[in-house]
Amino acid sequence: MISDSEIRSAIPTALDSVDVSGLGDKIDGKVRDMYTVDRKRALITTDRVSAFDRVLGTIPFKGQVLTQLSAWWFEQLQDVVSHHVVDVPDPNVIIGHEADPLPVEVIVRGYITGSTSTSLWTLYEQGVRRPYGLDLPAGLVKNAALPTPVITPTTKAEKGQHDERLTSAEVVERGLVDAELWSHVQAVALEVFSRGQAVASQAGLILVDTKYEFGMIDGKLALIDEVHTPDSSRYWVADTYQNAMSEGHAPDQFDKEHLRLWLGAQGYKGDGEAPALSDEIVAEVSARYISAYERLTGLTFVPGEQPPRERIANRLTAYFGR
């Protein structure tokens, strides 16, 4: 694994954005830059970090982890569902077919957890036995495994807004996705989650819950965006689980929730100006992202050159023939 000193030396030059202006039509994302050219999409995975729906700073190599880990997962899952990736010309870039995204995001949950007013655990603790239309048994405790994974779909939130939680019935009733396609989406999502749980278990991690985005490419369902990364999924360290349950707190986090916990310890709850990230937390979060990549894939993380702006622009231009 890359050393702590290498991570710390990269902090001043952490990638904030890749300038490929002039390549095509830019689409702004929450934490990524996207360009569409000839029905192909270039996802520029930057090192900007998003927590509480706000950009707070940069984390060295975070973008490269998200890109390379997603590309790895797409390959592992291609026998279950097609994906949008065409090429990964650089550690910071995924080039994918342009997709027509479904208007819902699919959240799959294997554990009952959370602390917000709309979280599965909060509602259950308040006595709601059918949160989001789900049938949950009595006697569950916080952070416990659910009898079987469940799906809680949401609308796609705009930047700075919260997702609208839905039931599966509402997805169909509101005409967001037709019944046949929605049934297919749910079956695929549960299979992909099962694969993710198995890989995480072998890596000494627990895949707690995750968000999937699906789209249609030439009339066929495809997995898009990113998948099973520390940004899109919640991971716990498996050997901390039993002790954490007995002591009444969450296991060690291997995802961006670790950064949120640090921010909370500084008194920040998501409103107003966030405190500056210290070099210590930046280095620690970076190391956790890199470790997640290495544990899940069994590969050694090799960072790309910094900064790669001109090189990426040249590669993308060459690929698109522009």
Side-chain angles (χ1 to χ4, degrees):
M1 179 176 168
I2 191 170
S3 69
D4 180 71
S5 61
E6 289 175 290
I7 292 175
R8 287 177 179 267
S9 67
I11 290 175
T13 58
L15 182 68
D16 180 60
S17 184
V18 179
D19 182 10
V20 288
S21 55
L23 172 68
D25 300 320
K26 184 176 181 181
I27 307 170
D28 290 322
K30 283 185 182 179
V31 293
R32 282 179 298 280
D33 300 323
M34 294 177 282
Y35 291 82
T36 301
V37 179
D38 298 335
R39 284 190 58 77
K40 291 185 176 67
R41 176 186 297 172
L43 298 175
I44 313 299
T45 307
T46 72
D47 284 347
R48 292 195 299 266
V49 63
S50 175
F52 301 107
D53 291 324
R54 301 179 190 277
V55 174
L56 301 172
T58 55
I59 303 293
F61 312 120
K62 170 180 175 286
Q64 296 187 25
V65 166
L66 300 185
T67 297
Q68 296 183 68
L69 184 54
S70 288
W72 183 86
W73 273 113
F74 283 131
E75 289 298 311
Q76 313 309 306
L77 299 168
Q78 60 185 351
D79 64 316
V80 180
V81 61
S82 61
H83 56 76
H84 68 148
V85 175
V86 176
D87 191 18
V88 185
D90 184 275
N92 292 281
V93 176
I94 284 180
I95 296 177
H97 287 289
E98 177 69 359
D100 296 317
L102 299 184
V104 295
E105 295 179 345
V106 183
I107 313 296
V108 184
R109 305 180 188 278
Y111 289 71
I112 185 164
T113 187
S115 58
T116 67
S117 61
T118 58
S119 73
L120 209 57
W121 168 251
T122 299
L123 295 173
Y124 185 86
E125 188 181 31
Q126 292 172 350
V128 180
R129 285 297 170 264
R130 299 194 76 251
Y132 307 112
L134 302 171
D135 289 311
L136 300 180
L140 292 175
V141 297
K142 187 175 184 179
N143 297 331
L146 293 165
T148 58
V150 299
I151 290 176
T152 57
T154 73
T155 54
K156 293 174 66 65
E158 298 297 325
K159 185 175 182 180
Q161 302 297 318
H162 292 292
D163 303 326
E164 178 187 4
R165 306 298 176 92
L166 302 169
T167 66
S168 284
E170 288 172 331
V171 171
V172 176
E173 291 167 359
R174 290 170 53 170
L176 298 173
V177 182
D178 69 52
E180 183 177 1
L181 178 57
W182 180 240
S183 178
H184 180 48
V185 166
Q186 292 182 91
V188 168
L190 290 172
E191 175 60 24
V192 170
F193 187 73
S194 177
R195 294 281 189 92
Q197 284 189 308
V199 171
S201 178
Q202 292 179 353
L205 299 174
I206 296 172
L207 177 59
V208 180
D209 49 41
T210 193
K211 177 191 74 174
Y212 299 127
E213 292 196 42
F214 291 95
M216 305 300 292
I217 300 176
D218 297 328
K220 187 176 182 180
L221 184 70
L223 194 58
I224 62 175
D225 197 47
E226 62 185 67
V227 58
H228 291 168
T229 70
D231 264 16
S232 66
S233 305
R234 190 192 318 244
Y235 287 104
W236 290 335
V237 179
D239 62 13
T240 68
Y241 179 73
Q242 292 300 332
N243 187 56
M245 289 293 287
S246 65
E247 294 180 355
H249 59 80
D252 194 19
Q253 310 279 336
F254 238 58
D255 52 68
K256 70 178 181 182
E257 190 67 20
H258 181 74
L259 177 59
R260 288 178 175 165
L261 291 174
W262 181 86
L263 289 164
Q266 315 308 306
Y268 183 69
K269 304 302 181 183
D271 296 318
E273 184 176 354
L277 303 184
S278 68
D279 283 359
E280 287 71 24
I281 189 63
V282 166
E284 185 177 353
V285 171
S286 178
R288 285 172 182 252
Y289 272 65
I290 293 169
S291 183
Y293 169 84
E294 295 187 338
R295 293 173 72 154
L296 291 168
T297 67
L299 303 172
T300 299
F301 175 75
V302 179
E305 299 173 18
Q306 294 273 14
R309 298 172 186 271
E310 184 176 353
R311 179 167 52 85
I312 290 177
N314 290 340
R315 293 286 295 279
L316 290 176
T317 300
Y319 181 84
F320 285 121
R322 293 288 181 91

